[in-house]
Amino acid sequence: MPVALAAITLLSSTAFAKPPADDHSPTWFALELGLGPAFGTGFPEDPVGVGLRGALGVGGGFDGVPVRFYLMGTLRYTNLWAHTESGTLESDLTRSLIDVSADLRVIWTVRRFRIHFDVGLGGSFLDSEARVNDRQTFQTDDARLAIYLAGGFGYRFTRWLSANLLVEGALPTTRPESDFVSAVSRVPSDNSETLGWTTVFFNASFHF
């Protein structure tokens, strides 16, 4: 009987005991890897595709302060596709972009939840290709300065691991005088498109 009573007491104390407090102290480095669907919101042919993203950041915050700041170096690769038709002319357009930037990230923390805001500046390198009627191929390339804006939310699973959903857009500060591949594909355009993109990234972040 004393043994049974002791066992019941131990089980009860275990069931109703408070879990140990998580270590919420900030970390100072973050490695973020992500991918997601990409949309050529600044291209006349409205292409879609996929984007990859990697970022390394340094920063953090202080105990008791819900805001974190990170300076991030970010590398992105985006591949976009579209098929267009104009009369007897059919064209397959491909846009490949490499974007490199320095970004400031501000994170507002609410327990384990995170709200992210990013702003960055960097270079966007665009390769464009149009294959017309499966016979002729036209290619161009361009390098531009771009502004990067992003926002999203995440969840911190442990001190070392978190995940977030981030919607990011690239806004090039200049555009080519004429987008040649869309012109030879007879894509309607008023030459006002920024040739930028928007991607919805699903990211995993490792903190150390």
Side-chain angles (χ1 to χ4, degrees), residues 41-177:
T41 48
F43 292 89
E45 71 273 16
D46 296 324
V48 296
V50 64
L52 302 175
R53 184 178 184 275
L56 182 63
V58 58
F62 302 94
D63 290 340
V65 179
V67 181
R68 307 281 188 262
F69 298 93
Y70 283 88
L71 181 62
M72 313 283 288
T74 307
L75 175 65
R76 310 163 186 83
Y77 174 75
T78 309
N79 209 5
L80 303 169
W81 312 275
H83 178 81
T84 64
E85 297 182 10
S86 177
T88 59
L89 187 146
E90 295 188 17
S91 182
D92 292 303
L93 292 95
T94 303
R95 310 279 192 168
S96 297
L97 300 107
I98 296 177
D99 293 83
V100 183
S101 68
D103 309 290
L104 174 64
R105 168 168 290 182
V106 180
I107 302 175
W108 184 271
T109 65
V110 182
R111 296 183 180 272
R112 289 182 176 271
F113 293 95
R114 306 288 189 264
I115 300 174
H116 298 255
F117 299 99
D118 293 6
V119 59
L121 184 67
S124 180
F125 305 91
L126 169 66
D127 288 325
S128 301
E129 179 180 295
R131 184 167 178 81
V132 179
N133 288 338
D134 283 328
R135 291 194 302 269
Q136 293 177 295
T137 300
F138 302 91
Q139 295 179 316
T140 63
D141 60 80
D142 188 49
R144 306 161 296 166
L145 185 68
I147 298 170
Y148 302 89
L149 301 174
F153 60 90
Y155 187 82
R156 187 75 171 260
F157 294 100
T158 70
R159 175 178 167 82
W160 314 108
L161 177 65
S162 66
N164 65 68
L165 175 69
L166 197 69
V167 179
E168 183 173 56
L171 305 173
T173 58
T174 60
R175 74 180 305 281
E177 291 184 5

Side-chain angles (χ1 to χ4, degrees), residues 26-32 56-57 59 70 156 159-160 206-208:
T27 52
W28 300 103
F29 297 93
L31 173 64
E32 189 168 85
L56 182 63
Y70 283 88
R156 187 75 171 260
R159 175 178 167 82
W160 314 108
F206 306 91
H207 306 268
F208 49 96

